[in-house]
């Protein structure tokens, strides 16, 4: 009941004319940027982060929520019309959406995606309202050893789930942790990796790291591999769904959030895994399996609903524990820190107006997303015609302006370029970017919690595992690390058993 009353107060904040305006601007900007090929929600939020510096925190985060969901829908638009996913979560939408578009049903695919985002976002946000205060109240009793264990879990999970190999994931994480070390030691005041520069004593701003790795790194990578021929977008009419389409999509719209929300809430869950799981589920349950791969509308509706619900799930761990589970959540956490606000168990007590205003704005943003994007789909399709050289030149310009706006120092531009080159190198060698961003954000906090836990236990390592919660988390960490080995052993035992049965059958024959 307290959550319901708080949510009603949140709607009072979110429905003020100015906050409604910021939400609408966020949805429009997020969709417009998300539609452009290669630019996902993380880069959209990172690029637009400096734009919000003049706003109050509540207005800024309401705008971020609009950018987040708008960019997710924009990424689906490029997947469907150009077969070029704007982000990793929109990859599955291309599998069925692009064949639908090529067969003249692009409007229906876009409508299924838009309504799927609406349904998934609504159901996911309702679950956020129900679960977040409970998680926050439980998290208040978590101590330094427990927090360090959770951060280790986040590090291990994010390096295990993402990238072509665990080694590359760990390498990316180490890059982020190294960048996070730059500046003054929080406990001793000693300079670390500053190379004698006083300007680096405060460390490297997370916004500059996020913009450098995402925007500059991506722009340099695309420039190095730019092709002269660009895909031509397919003309889109006004999106609509007939009775047959609605009959085939309403169940996937409801099943998607059930799969998507839990994966968003766990460390390193993200939207990639649940979208694929949703697609497989819909393929198994569909009465039209023969259409999959050729343009089955269920294959668009379910995964898009799962992706949107996953986005709401990421906010549970981000708001209640201060743990980002996706790249967008990592950038939003950087934005919280920029305003001097630390997400965690006490956030709901200290900043109730901001938190509940943000959650209420998610509902408002969903309605605005549906109302604005259904009629504007043809307009977004025309944005795909922007030549890539102009597009990425614009990205470099806005990234440089945004980085300079953070501190007003010319050194920030040099750091931005250096980190952009690191981002380019990471893409060149197949290193995922998210572990590096999470390493920069969580690295200093993990170090602080580790040292606190050791101080409490007088330097004894047993102080890191002296609570049931931390022991449970480390058990999960061991399971994640050992799972590939366990999988191989199980596979070997099964193959040996089959070979034994085969030889027995041959011998008996």
């Amino acid at each position: 009941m307290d959550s319901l009353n708080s949510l009603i107060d949140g709607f009072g904040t979110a429905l003020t004319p100015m906050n409604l305006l910021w939400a609408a601007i966020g949805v429009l900007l997020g969709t417009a940027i998300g539609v452009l090929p290669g630019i996902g929600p993380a880069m959209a939020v990172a690029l637009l982060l400096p734009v919000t510096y003049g706003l109050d925190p509540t207005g800024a985060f309401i705008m971020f929520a609009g950018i987040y969901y708008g960019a997710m829908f924009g990424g689906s638009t490029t997947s469907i019309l150009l077969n070029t996913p704007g982000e990793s979560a929109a990859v599955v939408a291309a599998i069925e959406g692009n064949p639908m578009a090529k067969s003249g049903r692009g409007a229906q695919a876009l409508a299924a995606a838009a309504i799927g985002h609406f349904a998934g976002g609504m159901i996911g946000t309702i679950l956020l309202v129900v679960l977040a205060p409970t998680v926050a109240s439980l998290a208040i009793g978590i101590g330094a050893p427990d927090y360090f264990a959770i951060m280790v879990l986040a590090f291990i999970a994010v390096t295990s789930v993402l990238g072509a190999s665990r080694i590359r994931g760990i390498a990316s994480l180490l890059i982020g942790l190294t960048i996070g070390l730059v500046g003054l030691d929080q406990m001793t005041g000693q300079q670390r990796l500053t190379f004698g520069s006083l300007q680096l004593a405060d460390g490297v701003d997370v916004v500059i790291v996020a913009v450098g790795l995402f925007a500059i790194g991506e722009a340099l990578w695309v420039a190095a591999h730019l092709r002269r021929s660009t895909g031509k977008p397919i003309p889109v009419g006004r999106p609509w769904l007939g009775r047959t389409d609605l009959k085939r999509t309403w169940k996937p719209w409801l099943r998607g959030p059930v799969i998507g929300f839990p994966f968003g809430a766990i460390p390193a869950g993200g939207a990639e895994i649940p979208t694929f799981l949703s697609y497989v589920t819909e393929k198994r349950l569909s009465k039209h399996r023969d259409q999959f791969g050729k343009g089955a509308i269920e294959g668009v509706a379910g995964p898009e609903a799962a992706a949107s619900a996953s986005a709401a799930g990421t906010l549970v761990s981000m708001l209640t524990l201060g743990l980002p589970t996706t790249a967008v959540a990592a950038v939003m956490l950087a934005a919280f820190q920029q305003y001097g606000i630390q997400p965690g168990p006490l956030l709901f007590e200290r900043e109730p107006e901001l938190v509940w205003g943000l959650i209420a704005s998610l509902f408002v943003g969903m309605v605005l997303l549906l109302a604005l994007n259904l009629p504007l789909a043809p307009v977004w399709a025309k944005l795909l015609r922007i030549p890539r050289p102009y597009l990425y030149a614009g990205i470099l310009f806005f990234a440089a302006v945004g980085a300079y706006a953070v501190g007003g120092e010319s050194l920030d531009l040099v750091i931005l370029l250096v980190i952009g080159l690191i981002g380019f190198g990471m893409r060149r060698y197949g290193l995922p970017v998210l572990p590096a961003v999470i390493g920069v954000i969580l690295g200093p906090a993990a170090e602080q919690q580790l040292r606190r836990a050791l101080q409490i236990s007088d330097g004894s390592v047993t102080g890191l595992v002296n609570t049931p919660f931390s022991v449970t988390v480390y058990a999960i960490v061991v399971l994640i690390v050992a799972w590939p080995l366990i999988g191989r052993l199980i596979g070997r035992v099964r193959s040996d058993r089959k070979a034994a049965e085969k030889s027995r059958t041959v011998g008996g024959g």
Side-chain angles (χ1 to χ4, degrees), residues 41 68-69 72-73 76 87-93 113 116-121 124 252-253 255-261 263-264 270-276 278-279 300-314 326 366:
Y68 191 179
Y69 283 113
M72 286 190 73
F73 176 75
S76 306
E87 52 144 350
S88 56
V91 169
V92 179
H117 274 291
F118 175 78
W253 285 332
R255 280 192 290 259
V258 176
I259 298 170
F261 184 84
F263 275 92
E272 296 82 4
I273 298 171
T275 51
F276 278 103
S278 176
Y279 179 76
V300 177
E304 291 301 284
S308 193
S310 174
T314 62
T326 64
M366 284 293 109

Side-chain angles (χ1 to χ4, degrees), residues 3-87:
S3 297
L4 185 60
N5 292 332
S6 300
L7 183 61
I8 291 169
D9 293 337
F11 273 111
T13 302
L15 293 175
T16 58
M18 282 307 296
N19 286 338
L20 273 176
L21 177 64
W22 296 132
I25 291 172
V27 167
L28 284 170
L29 284 175
T31 308
I33 292 179
V35 161
L36 301 172
I39 304 178
M43 195 194 294
V45 175
L47 276 173
L48 295 170
L49 190 56
V51 176
T52 61
Y53 283 168
L55 304 180
D56 65 285
T58 305
F61 288 109
I62 285 174
M63 188 173 171
F64 281 139
I67 292 168
Y68 191 179
Y69 283 113
M72 286 190 73
F73 176 75
S76 306
T77 303
T78 52
S79 278
I80 292 166
L81 299 180
L82 261 188
N83 202 26
T84 307
E87 52 144 350

